[in-house]
Amino acid sequence: MSVKEIVVLSGKGGTGKTTLTSCLAAMAGGKAVIADTDVDAPNLWIPLHPENDSDEPFHGMDVAMVDQSKCIGCGRCLRTCRFDAIAFENNVARVDTGFCEGCAACTMVCPVPNCITMDKVEKGRVYHGVTPYGPMWHARLNPGGENSGMLVAQLRADARREAEEKGYGLLLVDGPPGLACPAISAMTGVDLAVVVTEPTPSGWHDLKRLSEVTSRFKVPIGVVINKTDLAPEQAQRMRDACREEGFAIFGELPFNRRAAEELADRRIPLDQLREPLEAAWSAIRERVGLEEA
Ligand code: SF4
Ligand code: SF4
């Protein structure tokens, strides 16, 4: 069975991306593998309650390490590093692994054999868990940890492998907010990006910018407009603008205080949002050719 992959994106955090993803996960009726790729600030686990059965380190790229007992303090590595990752303490070199980009240039200029070596450093953790809605892959990047794009790619690959091996038809990805490397890593090659936005000028601006990136990667998008009832005129402008740009509107969600309360109470607010979400879920399924759950 071919696995359809859908990523939920937003131009910025706080637009309702996780609310929507959690509801879609519940609506998929146990037929999806779920991946939270917002590795800098993961929170899909809060309403989905995964029971983790695996917890592995994430290393990213190798970084430089100095064996200070061998260092003769010549300073060549310090002068070579373009990332200010090397400092001196007590006349010997030390690498700040948080800044090291793994280029290995310092290892080439060091005159002492095996004084600087490239090695792995834990940058975060990767978890696999079981939820009432399907298996879930999620991760946590250490504060200041680099390679979040690489971690996103790893999560997607792990989740896809499980979906293929176990016959799941859908891989549902909660993407990172924004347009940086992690978001690009989450959208490349997916079957559909569902973009959550709000009816404000900045929401439209974010949606436009995101659509420029998705179109560059040939990723089709559909839009879910959140909190439409809070700004009816802006919502109408956004509908008109989406129509002009050719963006499919999959659905609209009203602001719902009970939904916010349920999410704060670590529950998926599907009962509060089911009615407006039915149309969106149906449009999403139709767009990717997914059978009803
Ligand atoms: S590997 Fe590159 S970035 Fe890291 S410390 Fe060496 S020169 Fe600097
Ligand atoms: S190049 Fe090697 S020996 Fe020289 S300061 Fe750096 S680590 Fe020490």
Side-chain angles (χ1 to χ4, degrees):
M1 178 194 287
S2 80
V3 179
K4 303 293 183 185
E5 187 169 356
I6 298 170
V7 63
V8 182
L9 297 171
S10 62
K12 67 176 181 65
T15 55
K17 181 170 59 62
T18 298
T19 303
L20 178 63
T21 312
S22 67
C23 288
L24 294 182
M27 293 175 100
K31 293 189 175 171
V33 174
I34 303 150
D36 183 358
T37 62
D38 187 358
V39 295
D40 288 293
N43 54 14
L44 190 60
W45 60 272
I46 295 173
L48 261 55
H49 303 276
E51 280 189 27
N52 292 338
D53 52 17
S54 122
D55 174 355
E56 299 287 338
F58 168 72
H59 294 116
M61 288 183 301
D62 288 359
V63 294
M65 302 280 206
V66 174
D67 182 342
Q68 294 188 322
S69 68
K70 292 181 178 165
C71 177
I72 57 172
C74 71
R76 288 190 197 177
C77 57
L78 182 73
R79 292 191 291 277
T80 300
C81 182
R82 290 287 170 267
F83 301 98
D84 290 333
I86 297 178
F88 263 60
E89 61 185 16
N90 301 324
N91 296 321
V92 290
R94 179 182 58 79
V95 176
D96 184 335
T97 54
F99 288 103
C100 177
E101 291 285 328
C103 68
C106 52
T107 64
M108 297 170 200
V109 298
C110 181
V112 182
N114 298 321
C115 180
I116 309 180
T117 51
M118 302 301 291
D119 211 344
K120 298 192 182 317
V121 167
E122 185 177 314
K123 300 254 174 100
R125 307 292 299 181
V126 176
Y127 309 103
H128 175 270
V130 179
T131 81
Y133 318 98
M136 176 176 178
W137 290 86
H138 55 128
R140 181 171 48 81
L141 201 61
N142 294 342
E146 294 289 333
N147 307 137
S148 50
M150 194 185 277
L151 179 51
V152 169
Q154 181 180 324
L155 276 175
R156 282 182 62 199
D158 287 341
R160 174 166 283 278
R161 194 177 314 112
E162 179 170 23
E164 287 171 351
E165 286 174 3
K166 296 182 179 170
Y168 285 88
L170 175 63
L171 170 50
L172 179 63
V173 178
D174 189 9
L179 289 168
C181 171
I184 290 169
S185 186
M187 74 174 71
T188 49
V190 301
D191 295 287
L192 178 67
V194 178
V195 182
V196 189
T197 189
E198 291 171 337
T200 63
S202 69
W204 174 248
H205 179 71
D206 290 342
L207 171 59
K208 277 281 289 171
R209 280 177 9 115
L210 198 44
S211 74
E212 284 162 19
V213 180
T214 53
S215 79
R216 192 159 295 189
F217 288 97
K218 300 193 176 359
V219 173
I221 65 168
V223 180
V224 172
I225 311 174
N226 198 9
K227 303 174 190 163
T228 43
D229 53 332
L230 294 186
E233 284 181 19
Q234 289 283 355
Q236 189 53 49
R237 269 188 222 129
M238 187 163 270
R239 284 181 206 109
D240 294 341
C242 282
R243 229 161 270 131
E244 269 174 38
E245 292 287 339
F247 301 156
I249 298 176
F250 285 162
E252 299 185 10
L253 300 178
F255 174 72
N256 185 311
R257 184 173 294 280
R258 280 292 305 148
E261 288 168 356
E262 286 189 6
L263 201 60
D265 202 27
R266 303 192 59 191
R267 284 179 287 149
I268 297 175
L270 184 55
D271 286 345
Q272 305 302 325
L273 300 173
R274 185 182 295 276
E275 198 184 324
L277 273 178
E278 289 286 2
W281 180 226
S282 167
I284 291 167
R285 281 202 324 269
E286 190 178 323
R287 187 63 186 261
V288 296
L290 201 65
E291 287 173 13
E292 199 160 346

